[in-house]
Amino acid sequence: PPRSTLFPYTTLFRSPVHISANKTLKGCDALALDGSDVIWAASMVANDNPVIDPTGNLITNISGKPFDQPWGQVYAVPKSGSPAFYETNAGDGTVVRINLGSTFTYDVIARGFPVNHGKPGTALAPSGLAYDPAIDTLYFADGDNDTLVALKNVTQIPNGGIKATDHGMKFTGPNAGDARIVFAGSPLNGPISTALLPNGNIVAGNTLDPSGTNNLVEISAAGKVLDVRNVDKGASGALFGIVATGTSAADTKLYFNDDNDNNVQVLER
């Protein structure tokens, strides 16, 4: 059965390196790396998606439709088929596939997810994207309805494939069967970030817990809550980004930023 892999203590990461302060990054809220460590950024305020090389040089900036306050992003490399980026929007609750090639093309594969139209720091919408290539599944959190959502066979979902209804709790469209609510409700509380662990579990980071509580919530792919860990006892809303590294439970490290301490921390064995 699935087991928790949230770990017992926290260490700090204190050696940041400045990469870029390009104006296209204004309101940057999500980052993803392609296979060559090129950085793709979702920038909510600038309303664009800059692409920056590892030395900080702007390669290109993509903007306009279908971007509407970019809020989440992930690079997906399926077992078969072409790599792509997936992006979500805080303005209209859409999920977009960015198809790579000599020119970029876009498929709005899902729409209708709830958003609160908040400003950066208060926005709740589909975000915290994670991709599992073993099952070709895209995960994301939506803090507006406290859900963790999965889109299976995501590389095959076409433009207009899924429409969320009933405040994101039900689905229609030709590919409605590929969408499901993995988990909804407490202990999820305003989650905006997720990370995929090597065993297929997902960790979500809350933003609306009471003061003194900033919970990471581990959920199995089948929808079972496995662990809840308070990683900061200061003001609520300290968790923003999460990423996991490693190949097994033994070597997994879970990094998260802590806005209260203004640093990056890591949970590890």
Side-chain angles (χ1 to χ4, degrees), residues 170-230:
K170 295 182 180 179
F171 306 102
T172 63
N175 294 80
D178 289 329
R180 68 181 175 97
I181 302 295
V182 178
F183 188 86
S186 180
L188 294 180
N189 193 359
I192 64 169
S193 54
T194 76
L196 180 72
L197 301 180
N199 62 1
N201 296 346
I202 305 97
V203 176
N206 285 345
T207 64
L208 297 182
D209 293 322
S211 182
T213 309
N214 288 277
N215 281 338
L216 292 174
V217 182
E218 184 176 3
I219 301 172
S220 73
K224 181 180 180 180
V225 174
L226 301 173
D227 202 353
V228 179
R229 186 67 51 87
N230 183 13

Side-chain angles (χ1 to χ4, degrees), residues 44-45 69 71 116-124:
M44 180 180 176
V45 176
Q69 298 183 348
W71 188 233
N116 73 345
H117 299 291
K119 297 179 180 179
T122 64
L124 298 172

Side-chain angles (χ1 to χ4, degrees), residues 24-115:
T24 61
L25 291 166
K26 188 174 183 180
C28 179
D29 41 61
L31 300 173
L33 299 179
D34 71 9
S36 59
D37 287 340
V38 170
I39 304 162
W40 288 55
S43 299
M44 180 180 176
V45 176
N47 200 32
D48 59 20
N49 199 299
V51 181
I52 296 173
D53 74 19
T55 66
N57 294 315
L58 180 68
I59 298 173
T60 188
N61 182 34
I62 52 180
S63 59
K65 293 184 178 180
F67 300 112
D68 189 349
Q69 298 183 348
W71 188 233
Q73 190 157 101
V74 70
Y75 181 55
V77 183
K79 285 187 173 181
S80 61
S82 301
F85 281 88
Y86 291 86
E87 178 264 353
T88 54
N89 292 293
D92 61 5
T94 54
V95 181
V96 177
R97 181 171 53 238
I98 304 172
N99 304 300
L100 307 178
S102 56
T103 60
F104 301 134
T105 60
Y106 314 100
D107 293 311
V108 182
I109 63 172
R111 63 179 67 249
F113 289 96
V115 302

Side-chain angles (χ1 to χ4, degrees), residues 237-255:
L239 299 176
F240 197 83
I242 314 172
V243 67
T245 62
T247 59
S248 68
D251 64 3
T252 295
K253 294 183 179 182
L254 185 66
Y255 295 86

